[in-house]
Amino acid sequence: MAAPVTTPVADATQAVQQLTIGKALNQGLRAAMEADPKVIVMGEDVGKLGGVFRITDGLQKDFGEHRVLDTPLAESGIVGTAVGLAVRGFRPVCEIQFEGFIFPAFDQISSQLAKLHYRSQGRVTVPVVIRVPYGGGIGAVEHHSESPESLFAHIPGLKVVSCSNPVDAYWMIQQAIRCDDPVLFFEPKRLYHSGALKAPVDTSATPDPLFSSRVLRRGDAATLVAYGPSVKVCLDAATAAEEEGRSLEVIDLRTLSPLDLAPVFESVRRTGRLIAVSEAQAESSLTSEVAARVQQECFYSLEAPVLRVTGFDTPYPPAKLEEHFLPDLDRVLDAVDRALDW
């Protein structure tokens, strides 16, 4: 997948590294901790072990146990502690080991983290980042392969973002940490260590704004919109469609709350067709919101109904069935065919 374009800063000594998403997150966390002594990392096994996916590898060794904290297996306690630390001026970064483990902390997130700034009439900020490895494709079971991002995007007071490539992973985690609002940072775990997505990361570049979407590939036949792990699927579909003479535009949402849909509207007004792709279930989801907003804003430009390619409205299946559950190249191209044949 091609890395997004960033604008270089005038600097004679640019540091460019070839990084995977996992390594880019590690380097981004390191940069944030070096820049601000109030940034602390906390979670289950994030210290000595370096996290179950090794995203925090080496951080405790370099920054000490007082800044990289191994916590008990208690997600509600992790987030509750982070709220208290944030109120006292720290910038905690919590790791939820797997997305399915976040629900014991849901009360702290929805009742405290999302409400304190509003409840205090703006007097209190809670700059907490909650890192959430999410999505399927790793041969695991329920609680380890789910996509609950829509639940959090529905809660006022929270920001929700998801990276899909190493460049965004490096910059977005730092931007989220600097944000004074609480940010749910969803990371596509199956892409953490993918060599196919390894890309040059210029650590001296100027990144795009955190809460913005991006056009990754231009096209005029139809628009594909995705985020997180589904972006690579859409880019692969666009490459395959090109061999058949079909030019597909691909947009990475990046920010899920707030949504930045202006580039999507502009694209649909040109292509007349939209396919929204996500691993999450279709019912009451982010793809539902995108479809509704596009229908509202681009009704007279649409040449076909907005189509969605998603996970099914069932609990996540056993590992041997997950390839049938997850959106793949064939399902996306089938949706493209249906949109173009309408």
Side-chain angles (χ1 to χ4, degrees):
M1 181 173 69
V5 176
T6 53
T7 306
V9 174
D11 187 345
T13 58
Q14 290 192 358
V16 179
Q17 304 176 61
Q18 288 282 338
L19 301 176
T20 59
I21 288 178
K23 190 63 175 177
L25 286 166
N26 178 276
Q27 292 297 316
L29 288 167
R30 180 178 296 277
M33 296 183 75
E34 289 173 347
D36 186 350
K38 292 292 188 179
V39 175
I40 60 175
V41 172
M42 54 195 297
E44 299 161 7
D45 298 320
V46 299
K48 185 175 181 180
L49 180 66
V52 68
F53 295 106
R54 304 300 186 267
I55 303 304
T56 56
D57 188 41
L59 296 183
Q60 189 180 77
K61 174 178 175 291
D62 293 339
F63 293 97
E65 294 182 3
H66 65 295
R67 293 191 65 194
V68 182
L69 289 71
D70 279 316
T71 67
L73 306 183
E75 286 77 15
S76 181
I78 293 169
V79 176
T81 301
V83 171
L85 285 165
V87 169
R88 298 296 295 175
F90 289 89
R91 291 184 176 270
V93 181
C94 306
E95 178 181 299
I96 302 297
Q97 203 167 70
F98 287 88
E99 75 294 313
F101 300 169
I102 199 170
F103 297 107
F106 197 90
D107 181 33
Q108 291 285 357
I109 294 170
S110 62
S111 300
Q112 307 301 332
L113 189 60
K115 303 290 195 299
L116 271 172
H117 185 66
Y118 187 83
R119 185 186 300 151
S120 67
Q121 296 183 348
R123 296 182 181 91
V124 175
T125 58
V126 275
V128 175
V129 174
I130 302 179
R131 293 182 41 246
V132 189
Y134 81 120
I138 64 169
V141 294
E142 60 182 29
H143 307 311
H144 297 73
S145 302
E146 297 162 351
S147 298
E149 60 276 8
S150 297
L151 298 176
F152 299 96
H154 190 67
I155 300 174
L158 298 178
K159 300 291 196 295
V160 184
V161 299
S162 182
C163 59
S164 68
N165 59 76
V167 175
D168 277 349
Y170 177 79
W171 288 113
M172 288 174 68
I173 190 64
Q174 295 180 68
Q175 293 170 312
I177 292 169
R178 290 195 298 268
C179 181
D180 285 334
D181 294 317
V183 179
L184 274 288
F185 195 96
F186 282 88
E187 303 167 3
K189 70 169 88 76
R190 67 171 153 144
L191 303 181
Y192 272 150
H193 306 296
S194 170
L197 288 182
K198 204 169 187 179
V201 177
D202 184 351
T203 58
S204 65
T206 300
D208 289 345
L210 177 59
F211 303 113
S212 64
S213 56
R214 180 190 296 123
V215 178
L216 298 182
R217 179 177 179 135
R218 292 290 181 182
D220 54 27
T223 303
L224 303 181
V225 170
Y227 58 88
S230 299
V231 172
K232 182 180 185 302
V233 177
C234 288
L235 287 169
D236 290 344
T239 299
E242 187 176 35
E243 297 175 0
E244 299 178 356
R246 295 174 171 177
S247 175
L248 304 180
E249 185 143 307
V250 179
I251 299 177
D252 183 356
L253 287 177
R254 300 174 74 247
T255 173
L256 311 182
S257 181
L259 282 167
D260 173 30
L261 294 182
V264 180
F265 298 154
E266 188 279 330
S267 177
V268 171
R269 289 183 181 117
R270 286 187 292 101
T271 67
R273 295 170 174 84
L274 175 68
I275 297 96
V277 184
S278 168
E279 291 186 13
Q281 287 80 359
E283 188 79 14
S284 304
S285 65
L286 281 158
T287 57
S288 304
E289 179 67 15
V290 170
R293 297 270 293 276
V294 167
Q295 184 273 339
Q296 179 178 324
E297 297 292 332
C298 307
F299 182 79
Y300 292 106
S301 299
L302 287 169
E303 300 290 342
V306 176
L307 300 179
R308 294 185 291 157
V309 181
T310 68
F312 299 113
D313 292 325
T314 66
Y316 198 84
K320 64 181 180 181
L321 296 176
E322 70 176 351
E323 66 181 60
H324 302 291
F325 180 92
L326 297 171
D328 61 10
L329 183 71
D330 289 338
R331 287 177 62 193
V332 173
L333 290 176
D334 177 68
V336 170
D337 288 342
R338 285 187 285 127
L340 293 174
D341 290 342
W342 192 265

